[in-house]
Amino acid sequence: MPTRPHLLYAHRARHSRLAAALSCLLAVCMLAGCAAPRIAGRAESEQRLSPCESAVEAASAGTERAMSADSPVTMRYVAAKQAQHDWLDVAVQCPLRFAEGTMRSAQMQYRTQQLARVLGANSKTLTVTRLDSVASVPIGGDALAQAALADDRAGFATEVLAGRFVSGVARDARTTPLAEDGTLLAMSENHKQAASQMMQLSNGARDLRQKLYGTDELLAHSANVTDPVNGLRANTVAVVEMSCAREEMQAIAQSTRTMELPDDANAVQQAQQGLLQLSLLAATHAYTAFDLGYPSSDYAVFAADDDE
């Protein structure tokens, strides 16, 4: 059946109008930057941060606010107080960033106390000196044995220093009061007890503690000593505490890189709580060093990382 001329013309006209409309739509989309069609919910799931990423983002933002000279002191104080907790979350949630999270929490703890003094506020420190409430940790026994060695060595050093300052053999404006009021001896006992508790949690790992260690450096430089890691000269007790913190963090960080959490939700919570206590213990040693005059700036506390 032959096609009628007017029907053919109408058909072609409709195609021409459709093609023109599509061309116009394409041009508008190109000019307006139209997004390609997407599956509902896909972008949201791709943008959702992991617990580690969320912790790092919050901690970094809080630290920036806490250190900003442009912000009021009160805002800096509030930011630092929150950041000290957020960096602990990083230590627990990020297997590769245990040491960084722990040390930065210590920095923010010290920053919190600095700003609290400016404001005349009473801010409690996040100190953990022993592991009395820890039933288990997701850390290998060898790593715990190395950490225990660090605490035991620090316990011996603080005991030796306490004896020298109490007897009057050595004098120092920072250390003498700690010896006279029993603080140094209490620190020594806490170090040794923490070391013993870590060995109990190590599931039979070889005990590396020696109980007695060399005293030449302590006797020669009881008040101030040079930190062999970065060449900084600081209060001897502060260097002892910082060295202990570094050794503990390094030992534990080596184990967290291959850490596997259990499947059971309750067991995961218990494991993370144990890891948090270990982080707080090391952070407490670092904070104590800062409080005794050890520099809290990155150039001092992350110097060892730059050489790796």
Side-chain angles (χ1 to χ4, degrees), residues 18-213:
L18 180 59
L22 289 174
S23 297
C24 289
L25 179 61
L26 179 61
V28 171
C29 281
M30 290 177 66
L31 291 173
C34 290
R38 66 177 179 81
I39 300 173
R42 178 178 175 182
E44 289 79 0
S45 64
E46 289 176 348
Q47 294 174 5
R48 190 176 298 123
L49 299 179
S50 69
C52 172
E53 291 170 330
S54 296
V56 172
E57 186 176 271
S60 299
T63 298
E64 186 175 350
R65 290 192 297 272
M67 302 303 294
S68 174
D70 297 328
S71 300
V73 176
T74 303
M75 292 182 64
R76 279 181 272 163
Y77 169 70
V78 172
K81 196 169 185 178
Q82 181 58 46
Q84 64 183 353
H85 293 280
D86 291 337
W87 280 115
L88 290 172
D89 286 342
V90 172
V92 173
Q93 297 291 346
C94 305
L96 300 180
R97 304 183 76 160
F98 176 84
E100 179 192 4
T102 299
M103 184 61 80
R104 292 210 179 279
S105 176
Q107 287 177 313
M108 285 298 100
Q109 289 181 45
Y110 184 60
R111 181 65 170 165
T112 298
Q113 297 306 313
Q114 285 180 312
L115 294 169
R117 285 192 284 270
V118 172
L119 292 170
N122 184 17
S123 180
K124 186 177 180 180
T125 56
L126 298 177
T127 53
V128 166
T129 56
R130 295 162 40 143
L131 302 172
D132 296 340
S133 61
V134 179
S136 65
V137 291
I139 300 301
D142 291 342
L144 284 172
Q146 287 287 347
L149 172 61
D151 249 310
D152 192 64
R153 187 187 293 116
F156 174 79
T158 46
E159 182 179 20
V160 170
L161 290 171
R164 287 181 64 76
F165 281 95
V166 166
S167 64
V169 174
R171 305 292 296 176
D172 176 72
R174 289 184 182 273
T175 308
T176 301
L178 298 180
E180 291 177 345
D181 68 7
T183 299
L184 266 184
L185 282 178
M187 289 169 60
S188 173
E189 179 59 29
N190 286 332
H191 276 298
K192 294 177 181 179
Q193 182 62 23
S196 178
Q197 290 168 330
M198 280 189 275
M199 286 310 304
Q200 292 171 10
L201 294 167
S202 71
N203 294 321
R206 186 167 70 90
D207 194 343
L208 304 175
R209 292 175 295 172
Q210 301 169 30
K211 304 299 183 181
L212 298 176
Y213 304 88

Side-chain angles (χ1 to χ4, degrees), residues 6 16 87 110 158 165 174 180 204 248 259 264 285 287 296:
H6 70 278
S16 297
W87 280 115
Y110 184 60
T158 46
F165 281 95
R174 289 184 182 273
E180 291 177 345
E248 280 187 352
M259 177 180 65
D264 179 73
H285 300 328
Y287 168 79
S296 62

Side-chain angles (χ1 to χ4, degrees), residues 246-268:
R246 284 198 189 105
E247 291 175 27
E248 280 187 352
M249 288 186 296
Q250 290 171 359
I252 296 168
Q254 289 176 358
S255 185
T256 57
R257 293 187 182 102
T258 57
M259 177 180 65
E260 294 184 5
L261 292 175
D263 296 328
D264 179 73
N266 290 332
V268 169

